[in-house]
Structure formats: C-alpha cells, structure tokens
Amino acid sequence: MKVVITGASGVVGRALVQAALAHTQHTLLLVDLLPPAEPLTDPRVSYTTADLLDYDVFLRLLQGAGGLVHLAGFANPRLASPARVCNTNTSLSYNALCAAAEAGVSKVVLASSVNAIGGAWSPGEPQYVYFPVDELHPSTPSDAYSLSKQLLEQQAHSVARAHPWMSITSLRLHAVLPRGQGLHIANAERARKDLWGWTDPAEAARACLLGLEVGWKGSEAVFVVMPTHRAGEEDAQEMRERFWPAVEVRTGSGRLEKEQGFYDCGKAERVLGWKAEGGKMPGGVEGAS
C-alpha cells in the first residue's frame, strides 16, 4: 500500500518511517516543508517538499494512496502567534481529511495530542475532573494549540460521518521526544499541568501503523501514552495529593500506583490493539517538560 506521511522529518515521522520499512511492505511518500537531512536510499521511499496549506497540492500527493499519516503542523503554541498556530494546524488537518476523502484514501491517522482536552499549555489551571484521564474526560482547551487539536478531532468525526467508508484515528500523543532528550524532569511541579506523561517515539510509530490496519469504519480519538510517569522516583499518588488534591482517582483501590501514569489507554488497546511494550523510562539527562 502507498502511504503518505506528512511532517515526515519530525520525531514521530522518522520513527514511523523506520518502523514501516522494518515491519510492513508499504511504499512511502514522505512530505515536509524541507528536505530530510539524511535521505534514505530504500527504493520503497520517495520524498517531496510541499506546502500542504495548498489543497490542490495535498490532493495531488494523495493520488493512488491507500493510507495517510498526517503529522504536519505546529507542535506547540510557542512556535508562532496564537492565530497562526491555530489557523495553520486546523487548515492542514482539514485539508488532509478532505483530500483523503476526495482521493479515496480509506485509512487516515492524525497526530492529535493529550492537550486536546486542555493541559500543559493552559494559561490558567487545567480542568482535570478525574484520574486516570480517558477519552470521556471533558475537553476544556484554552490555548491555540490545544484548541487546534480538539478541532482536528471534530473535523475527523465530521468527515467520517460524511464518508462512512473511511477509518480515521486521532492519536492523542504526549511529549514525544528522542530517547534521552529531556524526558526526565528534575522537579515534579514543572510538569504538573501535563501530568508527567510521555510517549516513546517507537510506540507512537507502532500506533500509527496499527491505525492503517483497523477493520472498523468511523472516527476514533485515543490516548497513546506510556503507562508510567516521567517524574523519576516520585510516587504518583503523592503527586496527585500534592498537586491535584481535589481530583477524583477512579481506580479499583482509589489510589494510583507509584510509577503509574495519569492517562488511561485502554481504548487504544480496544480499537487499535495498541498496548505499550515495556514502559519504563529510558535513561537520559534530566530536563524541562
């Protein structure tokens, strides 16, 4: 199957290309604004640079494709003005979805974010209701980036309703950083808003590939987050009591285990067959969230 990967030069894109070449027979068209620093010579891989805000360009690139993994866009709200972040991300995702539908691409995977519910980038306090957070948790984004991810998911639901032959998966990823680069945090308070979560690049890539293989039709948003937190030796229950004492814990025991993450990824296992392999934090230098 021909798979188009946008934003292919990013952390998730590079991991996805590696995983796809190792574990599938897909041919890959890699799309980004800039050419890759180290192009691959594998005959299954081709590259192009493109401005995907141009819908006709996006549509042309998807001709003959069976799958699309859309990773392009601003990765956080600090990279441009709020208006540019939100307008760019939402235009790119809607172009991706509409072009996929028009080109007959049945399998689409989108990079959403845990911040689709509001979180790390909230100018005030995020509105967490219960832990672990799952897909039924209320969404209250208050910054441009988080809003763009919530809108991406709503666009996906809308396009899937209009084109019931499509399978669209929005992956709510979290702090996807190369191993050893700023994953550990020196101070638990620094990452309290985003609940100390993380997603290994290889696990994000595996979730993308699984999204290209689903048998169901429609649109689903799922958390793809590692099952452990990244706050070192901190105890999850103690962090909850210290930083989020009013938030209910919905586990059988009413408590969080010491290394337990604050996100429930059970839905990803149900609809994708994705469950994190391993989950221990890799060694690396401590840094900011």
Side-chain angles (χ1 to χ4, degrees), residues 92-192:
L92 284 172
S93 57
Y94 202 57
N95 277 0
L97 289 160
C98 291
E102 187 171 347
V105 179
S106 62
K107 297 292 194 297
V108 178
V109 178
L110 306 171
S112 185
S113 166
V114 296
N115 292 290
I117 69 168
W121 305 111
S122 300
E125 287 290 279
Q127 303 300 306
Y128 294 119
V129 178
Y130 58 84
F131 298 142
V133 174
D134 61 16
E135 292 80 6
L136 297 177
H137 191 283
S139 296
T140 55
S142 56
D143 67 275
Y145 172 77
S146 301
L147 176 60
S148 76
K149 294 303 181 180
Q150 186 187 68
L151 291 172
L152 170 150
E153 294 180 5
Q154 294 304 314
Q155 290 170 342
H157 299 331
S158 174
V159 169
R161 286 191 291 270
H163 305 279
W165 47 270
M166 296 181 73
S167 305
I168 307 172
T169 308
S170 301
L171 303 179
R172 291 180 174 178
L173 305 173
H174 194 337
V176 186
L177 298 171
R179 281 178 171 261
Q181 291 189 17
L183 281 170
H184 290 280
I185 55 175
N187 184 330
E189 187 169 5
R190 296 179 67 179
R192 61 183 295 274

Side-chain angles (χ1 to χ4, degrees), residues 117-271:
I117 69 168
W121 305 111
S122 300
E125 287 290 279
Q127 303 300 306
Y128 294 119
V129 178
Y130 58 84
F131 298 142
V133 174
D134 61 16
E135 292 80 6
L136 297 177
H137 191 283
S139 296
T140 55
S142 56
D143 67 275
Y145 172 77
S146 301
L147 176 60
S148 76
K149 294 303 181 180
Q150 186 187 68
L151 291 172
L152 170 150
E153 294 180 5
Q154 294 304 314
Q155 290 170 342
H157 299 331
S158 174
V159 169
R161 286 191 291 270
H163 305 279
W165 47 270
M166 296 181 73
S167 305
I168 307 172
T169 308
S170 301
L171 303 179
R172 291 180 174 178
L173 305 173
H174 194 337
V176 186
L177 298 171
R179 281 178 171 261
Q181 291 189 17
L183 281 170
H184 290 280
I185 55 175
N187 184 330
E189 187 169 5
R190 296 179 67 179
R192 61 183 295 274
K193 283 188 175 183
D194 72 0
L195 303 178
W196 311 278
W198 62 293
T199 305
D200 185 276
E203 289 298 324
R206 190 162 64 88
C208 289
L209 292 178
L210 289 169
L212 296 174
E213 299 171 1
V214 298
W216 47 262
K217 307 300 181 185
S219 171
E220 300 286 353
V222 297
F223 283 106
V224 173
V225 186
M226 305 306 282
T228 57
H229 64 71
R230 73 179 198 275
E233 296 302 315
E234 294 274 2
D235 182 283
Q237 180 65 21
E238 292 178 359
M239 288 194 295
R240 198 282 301 180
E241 293 171 355
R242 192 185 339 161
F243 298 113
W244 302 104
V247 178
E248 176 188 0
V249 176
R250 295 184 181 178
T251 63
S253 65
R255 295 180 57 83
L256 297 168
E257 300 299 321
K258 178 177 172 58
E259 297 182 344
Q260 183 176 351
F262 284 69
Y263 296 88
D264 180 347
C265 294
K267 183 179 178 181
E269 185 172 5
R270 294 191 301 273
V271 306

Side-chain angles (χ1 to χ4, degrees), residues 3-6 8 13 17 28-32 40 45-49:
V3 176
V4 177
I5 303 173
T6 72
V17 171
L28 309 177
L29 174 58
L30 310 185
V31 187
D32 214 308
L40 296 172
V45 177
S46 58
Y47 297 87
T48 190
T49 57

